[in-house]
Amino acid sequence: MTATTEITDFKVETPDGATLHAFKEGHGQPLLLVSGLSGTAAFWKDIATTLSRSFQVIRFDQRGIGASTRGDAPCDMELLARDSLAVLDAAGVGRAVVLGHSTGGCIAQMIAKLAPERVDGLILSASWLAPSRFLSALFGARLAILEADPYAYAAISVLSGYQPRWIEQNWHVYDDALEAAPVSEHAKIVTRERLNALLAFDGSADIGSLPMPILILGTRDDIVVPVYHQEALAAALPGCRRAIMETGGHLFPVSRPDAFTATVAEWIGEL
């Protein structure tokens, strides 16, 4: 029988009054997991179980999401990056590998710019450097859908995030998304400001001067953040490593967990 890693949860207070709910498990090289638009620690639950066999894994609900409160500060990528650094502080971690998926990859880029001395390695998964016309149009449309029908917003998030066959075989993910749809006014406000934050993000400035090792992950069938965004990141980051899978959709950490965790663990092991 495989031993179960103990999970410790802790709270993080921010200067503007938000309380962030965070978790850590495992031992070894610290690894901070930063989720995407959904902002939940739960996105990483199974991934963290696997990676905590080799690393000290830290994950958290971002402000206004899950068990974390919103606080008062205007939401942008810099604020979300400072929240992430506060989580590391509260965990007693000075330096960590930072892994961000999708919007989390934008947050991770900002962490690396704000505090490069705290980042041992940077993993940008299904992320982008600056919004293309496609990305702007897609997330702009999702903003409109959010206002008109939060259940449709939740449905589109799943239907565009995975391969159709995988959804058919894991239909509970669709049902769970509808159950967690942003129907309350608070949830709509938080989702709206997060969408606006990602649409406003442009990481082009000084990206090539980041000093830490960088791994870029993606899939060729991602229809949310197409692979040419990972190619643009790689072109802006001389010396980075790139690992692009053929299939898995946008949310490939969930749909291809074995390949995802193996790639991440191997790369961190070489640092």
Side-chain angles (χ1 to χ4, degrees):
M1 178 180 294
T2 303
T4 302
T5 303
E6 181 180 354
I7 302 174
T8 302
D9 65 317
F10 59 101
K11 301 290 179 64
V12 184
E13 305 296 333
T14 72
D16 70 305
T19 300
L20 309 178
H21 190 208
F23 305 86
K24 61 181 177 179
E25 55 194 290
H27 302 279
Q29 166 74 56
L31 170 61
L32 176 67
L33 303 179
V34 186
S35 55
L37 186 57
S38 70
T40 64
F43 176 80
W44 299 110
K45 186 173 184 297
D46 293 340
I47 294 294
T49 297
T50 300
L51 290 175
S52 65
R53 298 169 190 160
S54 304
F55 311 108
Q56 180 187 173
V57 178
I58 302 159
R59 55 194 171 96
F60 65 104
D61 287 334
Q62 293 172 30
R63 60 172 55 227
I65 305 288
S68 295
T69 62
R70 168 63 187 80
D72 299 323
C75 182
D76 59 18
M77 289 299 169
E78 180 173 341
L79 179 69
L80 297 174
R82 293 192 184 280
D83 286 348
S84 304
L85 290 167
V87 169
L88 290 180
D89 290 340
V93 171
R95 299 176 60 93
V97 173
V98 177
L99 191 172
H101 182 77
S102 193
T103 300
C106 301
I107 299 170
Q109 291 174 59
M110 189 62 73
I111 294 169
K113 290 182 179 183
L114 290 173
E117 73 284 355
R118 301 193 64 178
V119 181
D120 285 328
L122 186 65
I123 304 175
L124 305 176
S125 174
S127 195
W128 65 92
L129 186 59
S132 60
R133 287 180 296 179
F134 174 84
L135 210 63
S136 296
L138 174 65
F139 285 105
R142 286 176 66 172
L143 258 174
I145 295 169
L146 170 69
E147 303 302 334
D149 186 343
Y151 291 103
Y153 172 87
I156 289 296
S157 300
V158 172
L159 296 174
S160 62
Y162 300 101
Q163 297 167 295
R165 185 182 299 277
W166 188 90
I167 299 171
E168 289 280 3
Q169 296 170 346
N170 298 272
W171 196 255
H172 66 278
V173 172
Y174 181 85
D175 291 335
D176 291 346
L178 290 189
E179 187 173 339
V183 294
S184 71
E185 192 56 35
H186 168 79
K188 283 192 277 191
I189 289 171
V190 169
T191 304
R192 184 186 308 125
E193 67 184 3
R194 292 173 65 81
L195 282 161
N196 284 324
L198 74 85
L199 286 167
F201 174 77
D202 186 339
S204 302
D206 304 321
I207 186 71
S209 64
L210 292 180
M212 70 287 297
I214 299 171
L215 171 65
I216 295 170
L217 302 177
T219 64
R220 297 196 184 280
D221 64 350
D222 186 341
I223 63 170
V224 177
V225 184
V227 69
Y228 56 76
H229 281 285
Q230 287 89 65
E231 292 167 350
L233 269 170
L237 291 164
C240 72
R241 186 179 300 182
R242 180 173 51 172
I244 306 297
M245 295 190 291
E246 290 298 318
T247 62
H250 180 59
L251 298 174
F252 59 91
V254 176
S255 65
R256 299 283 306 277
D258 292 347
F260 180 82
T261 54
T263 302
V264 167
E266 179 182 5
W267 185 78
I268 297 175
E270 294 175 0
L271 294 178

